[in-house]
Amino acid sequence: MRIKEIAVESLQSSMVAAKDVLDPGGRVLLAAGRLITPDLRLALQRYGVAKVYVQQQSRENQRLARVEPLITGAARIRLMRKVRSVFRAFAAESSELDMEQLQELSYAVADELARRSHLLLVLEDLSYVTNYLYAHSVQVGLISIALGLALGLSRQEMAILGMGGFLHDLGKLTVPAHILNKAGKFNREEFLQIQGHAAAGYRLLRKEQALDTRVMLIALQHHERYDGSGYPWAITGGNIHRLAAIVAVADVYDALTTDRIYRKRLSIREAMAIIGGGEGRLFAPEAVQALKKLVVPYGLGEAVSLSDGRRGVVAMLNSTNWALPVVRIADGWLDLLEEPQVRIVHTEQGS
């Protein structure tokens, strides 16, 4: 990653600040790692800021013939067991609650992902149905760390994101199992009980004096929405803690792309259409933009139909644009990065 100085008037919404921007009094106007938004650009101009240092990703394209999962199966099992033991200890009000190991695992995951040359999210075949609460918690923690990495956050912030993701649904311990596992629609009373899990998780975590306050806020605010339509406080935009807003996107993405009792999982493209449609309305723009950097819309080996009538299979991914892969067709190879007039119009699962 390179750093470049850019005039404020030339800042684009896809850019990420590489260094803090301070006012004359030392107050942070723009924190390193923040996605540049039109509102932020206008605010910088009002304060007379002339130039900003931004992150620049290398544009040298690489073709990838395989994609690594965020973590290995063995590492996922270790995390699942630790998250489950923490949840059970809270449920039993045990004095043997050990959060340190979970925190160490969170740091270890952050360090591992930071060493990757490419960090991608693909649609994995993970069995969530029988252990949904624990598996979902682990996956949200992993995705949150990856989003933090994409945003250029510090090692500590990424670890806090991991902890917040692992524990964001702790409050569901207070919701009766028959409601959590209900296949049909919730009635009003049941929905209010479900909504109560955010505040309940905060109350449980607040008892842990050594726990970072940001982890508690993530549990409390991961269902708040940018426009104030969320819960429990219906707060808006900048009133939502930045890390909670990131976990909120990870939470929704995983919920949409995994099988639930009441519906089958959506494709990555369907999920991204929903999340993208909520950018700046339901979800923090920087978190949505970070997710777009990580998501691979067409999986390796996926059968596709092209706009020129040909059919093929996704064979490799282009690192400068995951949405334009290399497709193996009947008479050879077609690199969509080099053939912009041809696009994917259908997949084996649909458009």
Side-chain angles (χ1 to χ4, degrees):
M1 183 183 297
R2 293 180 299 152
I3 296 176
K4 185 176 181 180
E5 193 177 36
I6 297 285
V8 167
E9 59 269 19
S10 299
L11 291 174
Q12 299 176 10
S13 297
S14 59
M15 293 178 175
V16 175
K19 297 181 181 181
D20 289 347
V21 178
L22 309 178
D23 70 7
R27 187 179 62 172
V28 177
L29 298 176
L30 176 65
R34 289 294 301 270
L35 185 76
I36 307 295
T37 64
D39 287 345
L40 281 174
R41 187 180 64 190
L42 288 173
L44 293 172
Q45 288 176 318
R46 284 199 299 269
Y47 276 96
V49 176
K51 295 183 179 180
V52 172
Y53 287 98
V54 299
Q55 300 174 7
Q56 282 202 317
Q57 300 287 347
S58 171
R59 298 302 294 171
E60 183 178 345
N61 185 59
Q62 296 181 40
R63 289 177 173 177
L64 307 183
R66 64 184 297 270
V67 174
E68 292 183 62
L70 288 178
I71 57 173
T72 65
R76 186 181 295 277
I77 289 172
R78 285 197 299 273
L79 266 174
M80 280 267 291
R81 287 173 176 167
K82 175 48 64 177
V83 168
R84 182 175 59 192
S85 72
V86 168
F87 272 58
R88 288 178 174 177
F90 269 106
E93 298 183 355
S94 172
S95 60
E96 298 181 4
L97 181 63
D98 178 16
M99 302 285 275
E100 287 186 12
Q101 190 176 0
L102 185 60
Q103 183 170 298
E104 289 171 4
L105 288 172
S106 188
Y107 271 107
V109 171
D111 291 340
E112 167 61 25
L113 298 188
R115 288 192 287 268
R116 300 278 188 86
S117 55
H118 298 289
L119 196 59
L120 307 177
L121 291 178
V122 296
L123 203 58
E124 299 179 72
D125 269 330
L126 301 173
S127 179
Y128 276 36
V129 178
T130 56
N131 293 295
Y132 179 79
L133 180 57
Y134 307 130
H136 171 66
S137 298
V138 167
Q139 190 70 353
V140 170
L142 295 175
I143 295 171
S144 298
I145 293 172
L147 291 173
L149 189 61
L151 287 168
L153 300 190
S154 68
R155 178 176 182 263
Q156 184 195 48
E157 288 173 310
M158 286 191 288
I160 293 298
L161 280 171
M163 285 288 286
F166 298 148
L167 298 172
H168 77 288
D169 268 348
L170 183 68
K172 286 187 176 178
L173 292 172
T174 65
V175 181
H178 74 274
I179 295 178
L180 287 178
N181 298 323
K182 185 175 180 178
K185 287 187 175 181
F186 298 122
N187 61 37
R188 177 173 172 75
E189 182 181 344
E190 291 168 338
F191 188 61
L192 288 174
Q193 285 189 272
I194 287 288
Q195 285 188 321
H197 82 274
Y202 175 77
R203 288 193 296 270
L204 288 170
L205 291 170
R206 194 172 54 181
K207 298 175 184 178
E208 296 301 306
Q209 295 181 355
L211 190 63
D212 193 295
T213 305
R214 290 171 290 183
V215 177
M216 305 175 198
L217 285 175
I218 288 170
L220 180 65
Q221 297 181 354
H222 71 278
H223 279 290
E224 299 289 0
R225 295 295 178 254
Y226 215 65
D227 61 0
S229 63
Y231 61 85
W233 289 345
I235 54 179
T236 60
N239 295 312
I240 304 169
H241 194 282
R242 184 188 185 192
L243 300 187
I246 293 170
V247 173
V249 168
D251 178 39
V252 172
Y253 175 80
D254 185 66
L256 292 174
T257 56
T258 52
D259 289 329
R260 307 297 297 272
I261 292 172
Y262 51 86
R263 62 150 175 80
K264 299 295 288 181
R265 68 184 182 183
L266 303 183
S267 71
I268 280 182
R269 293 172 294 282
E270 291 170 325
M272 290 305 295
I274 291 171
I275 294 173
E279 181 179 349
R281 181 174 57 87
L282 301 178
F283 309 114
E286 68 164 2
V288 176
Q289 288 298 320
L291 185 64
K292 289 178 179 179
K293 293 179 183 178
L294 302 177
V295 164
V296 177
Y298 303 104
L300 291 168
E302 189 169 7
V304 296
S305 297
L306 304 175
S307 57
D308 61 4
R310 288 181 288 184
R311 301 181 65 189
V313 173
V314 175
M316 288 182 283
L317 302 173
N318 283 308
S319 65
T320 53
N321 192 330
W322 307 123
L324 299 175
V326 178
V327 178
R328 187 174 69 249
I329 54 179
D331 57 352
W333 303 82
L334 182 66
D335 188 341
L336 298 186
L337 195 63
E338 299 175 355
E339 301 287 344
Q341 74 279 8
V342 182
R343 59 187 179 86
I344 294 173
V345 292
H346 293 284
T347 69
E348 199 171 71
Q349 289 77 31
S351 60

